[in-house]
Every structure is written in C-alpha cells, then in structure tokens.
Amino acid sequence: MTSGDLTVITRLRCENPQRIAELAQSRRRPDGLRGQTGRLLLVAADHPARGSLRAGADPLAMGDRTVLLDRLVRALARPGVDGVLGTADVLEDLLLLGALEGKVVLGSMNRGGLAGTAFEIDDRFTGFDAGHLVAAGFQGGKMLLRIDPSDPLTSPTLQACAGAVQDLANRRLVALVEPFVCGRDANGRVRNDLSAEAVVRSATVAAGLASTSAYTWLKLPVLEHMEPVLAATSLPVLLLGGEVADDPGAQRASWAKALAAPGVRGMVVGRSLLFPPDGDVEAAVDATVELL
C-alpha cells in the first residue's frame, strides 16, 4: 500500500463511487463464523471514527490513512486472520483494495461518543445500521456500550444499543456488544472499570438487551482473573486485545490463559497487531494466530 494506491482510491471515489457497492455485492463471503483455526481472529480498525488515533506513544498513529491501510492489508493477508471490524470509510477502502475476499466483516455502528468529549457517554449511532449491513453483505454489527452510573446519558445509549441488537437479530446478523462500566477521573476523562465485578455487571446487562440474544456476541476485556466473567454468560465471547503493550509477550500470555475457556470464541485485536512496538505486523499477527 502506497500513497499512489491512496490516490487511486480517491479517484475511484470521485469518478466511480458506485464501484464500492458493486464490489461489496460481488465479493466472496465466508461460510460462517468458525474461523480458520476454529475460532475467529478479527482485526479492529474502527478507532479513528471516534477520534481515538493513539497507538503506543504516537498520538496520531492511526491518523495516516496510507499507513493504516497498509498495515490492515498486510494483517488480513496472513493465514489465520478471519476478518475485520471497521467503519464504512475503512471497509470501503479495503473493498477497493481487494482485501475483503472471503473475510468476515463487522461494521461499527455507534461512533458518536467521541473520545475526550463532554458527551462521550452519549454514544450515538453515527455509523452503520442493520439495513446497510445487509445491503453490503457484511456479517454483523458492533456497538460500544459504556455504562456510567453517574451519567444520565447512559440511558439513551442503552436504549439505542437494544434497538440495534433487535434490528440485527431480525436480519439474522451478529450483534457484537462491547460493554464497560465506567466513570470520569479527576480530569474528567472517561475511564473503564476493569475489575471483575464491573466486567461481570456490564456483560450481564449487555446480554439482556432486546427481545432475543440469539445473535448476540460479547466483546470483553482480558482480566487477570477471567473465571467469574466467563461464568456470567452463555453467549459467545470475543476477547478485546486492548492497548499496545510494552511487553507483548506478557500480553499474549494473558490472552492465551483467557483463550483456554470454552466460551471464548476468538479475539478482536486492533492496535496491538497493527502497531506493535517493533513495527513487525506480520510477526505480531502470526504470534497471535498461534494462540488460537
């Protein structure tokens, strides 16, 4: 992926925008959600739409589209990588690059709770809706659900997520819900509570959204003690990769421990694969595939 490729993408968007829908309809789709290893490995790339561009020490790591697409294409080409989670702009660029053939694709639905804003908890659905996910031939939608007990804007976000889960289920598409109990620190920043008690609480709330959970999967963080979290739900769980770690080996060891549980059906990893400390995307991906 080069700046020249980005120029071609921009020209196609200008001169032949209908090409995006044509490629979405004609692409080869996956047979199911089992994954090449028996479990799913998805690369996450929906951070930029929420204004969250940091990876490691670089505050704008995900802000360079050529760099981001290059790393995504390289990651998706590795054996064992089953698909991608992203917003429409990123997924459409990948379609134009031919990188989504046979891949599981989940569209990110609510990105309106921009990082660092006063309205961050009011996470509006500014991305995909269920109807457009069907039209694109994608396999489901993902939503972020942050529960702040002190912020009344949690309530409309809960309601909106419940509606999205219902809309996806009505169309037999996966609803991947990423729940957190959170609050604001002394500087007003939203911080997720990663205690086992809080994650159990968030998981049980997310599992109960809508009139059916038949198509609901949970995206949950990796904790030191995952047993009570995984005991709290019968829904399929994908592990959240989290931030770029200073010690990738220790991070992968924690992933391996959590992956041993039968309810864990795979992982969704973004920055840790795309922006590893040593810059070697392929090595980071291959090491993660080995865990699965």
Side-chain angles (χ1 to χ4, degrees), residues 18-157:
Q18 66 271 22
R19 182 61 178 156
I20 293 170
E22 293 169 358
L23 289 170
Q25 289 301 310
S26 65
R27 81 176 181 100
R28 181 168 49 87
R29 301 176 188 181
D31 294 331
L33 298 176
R34 181 171 174 79
Q36 299 171 54
T37 64
R39 291 191 283 188
L40 278 178
L41 177 58
L42 304 180
V43 182
D46 61 341
H47 310 76
R50 204 171 67 84
S52 181
L53 303 174
R54 178 179 293 277
D58 186 350
L60 295 177
M62 300 189 80
D64 187 311
R65 185 50 62 99
T66 298
V67 170
L68 177 61
L69 290 175
D70 174 69
R71 291 170 181 247
L72 279 167
V73 169
R74 289 159 56 194
L76 287 166
R78 301 303 295 174
V81 177
D82 300 300
V84 63
L85 159 63
T87 47
D89 58 324
V90 174
L91 297 181
E92 289 167 355
D93 285 348
L94 292 171
L95 275 170
L96 291 169
L97 290 168
L100 297 185
E101 290 301 309
K103 299 297 184 182
V104 173
V105 182
L106 300 185
S108 192
M109 303 179 78
N110 62 328
R111 298 280 83 188
L114 302 184
T117 62
F119 54 87
E120 189 169 345
I121 298 302
D122 188 7
D123 215 339
R124 302 296 178 96
F125 280 67
T126 57
F128 279 104
D129 59 34
H132 284 90
L133 288 167
V134 170
F138 296 156
Q139 283 61 60
K142 173 258 182 179
M143 64 205 76
L144 180 61
L145 172 59
R146 286 168 297 184
I147 303 164
D148 184 343
S150 65
D151 193 328
L153 294 177
T154 295
S155 182
T157 302

Side-chain angles (χ1 to χ4, degrees), residues 3-286:
S3 58
D5 295 319
L6 193 67
T7 300
V8 171
I9 290 172
T10 303
R11 185 172 69 248
L12 282 169
R13 286 180 171 277
C14 180
E15 298 175 358
N16 191 16
Q18 66 271 22
R19 182 61 178 156
I20 293 170
E22 293 169 358
L23 289 170
Q25 289 301 310
S26 65
R27 81 176 181 100
R28 181 168 49 87
R29 301 176 188 181
D31 294 331
L33 298 176
R34 181 171 174 79
Q36 299 171 54
T37 64
R39 291 191 283 188
L40 278 178
L41 177 58
L42 304 180
V43 182
D46 61 341
H47 310 76
R50 204 171 67 84
S52 181
L53 303 174
R54 178 179 293 277
D58 186 350
L60 295 177
M62 300 189 80
D64 187 311
R65 185 50 62 99
T66 298
V67 170
L68 177 61
L69 290 175
D70 174 69
R71 291 170 181 247
L72 279 167
V73 169
R74 289 159 56 194
L76 287 166
R78 301 303 295 174
V81 177
D82 300 300
V84 63
L85 159 63
T87 47
D89 58 324
V90 174
L91 297 181
E92 289 167 355
D93 285 348
L94 292 171
L95 275 170
L96 291 169
L97 290 168
L100 297 185
E101 290 301 309
K103 299 297 184 182
V104 173
V105 182
L106 300 185
S108 192
M109 303 179 78
N110 62 328
R111 298 280 83 188
L114 302 184
T117 62
F119 54 87
E120 189 169 345
I121 298 302
D122 188 7
D123 215 339
R124 302 296 178 96
F125 280 67
T126 57
F128 279 104
D129 59 34
H132 284 90
L133 288 167
V134 170
F138 296 156
Q139 283 61 60
K142 173 258 182 179
M143 64 205 76
L144 180 61
L145 172 59
R146 286 168 297 184
I147 303 164
D148 184 343
S150 65
D151 193 328
L153 294 177
T154 295
S155 182
T157 302
L158 270 167
Q159 185 175 27
C161 285
V165 171
Q166 188 69 57
D167 288 344
L168 291 165
N170 289 345
R171 294 165 171 83
R172 299 185 178 182
L173 296 182
V174 167
L176 180 60
V177 186
E178 180 181 1
F180 290 100
V181 172
C182 63
R184 292 189 182 269
D185 63 17
N187 296 315
R189 296 187 182 91
V190 174
R191 301 296 187 191
N192 296 326
D193 184 343
L194 297 180
S195 66
E197 180 180 355
V199 177
V200 167
R201 184 183 182 196
S202 67
T204 56
V205 170
L209 296 175
S211 66
T212 178
S213 61
Y215 296 91
T216 303
W217 291 41
L218 300 179
K219 181 185 177 191
L220 300 177
V222 176
L223 308 182
E224 183 178 357
H225 301 291
M226 288 293 292
E227 294 84 359
V229 173
L230 297 174
T233 183
S234 60
L235 301 184
V237 171
L238 297 180
L239 300 177
L240 167 64
E243 301 284 348
V244 177
D246 294 331
D247 185 348
Q251 185 180 52
R252 285 194 291 271
S254 68
W255 294 349
K257 181 180 177 182
L259 283 164
V264 176
R265 301 308 305 158
M267 296 194 69
V268 181
V269 191
R271 288 166 288 192
S272 297
L273 295 188
L274 299 176
F275 296 91
D278 63 1
D280 192 336
V281 173
E282 288 79 5
V285 170
D286 292 349

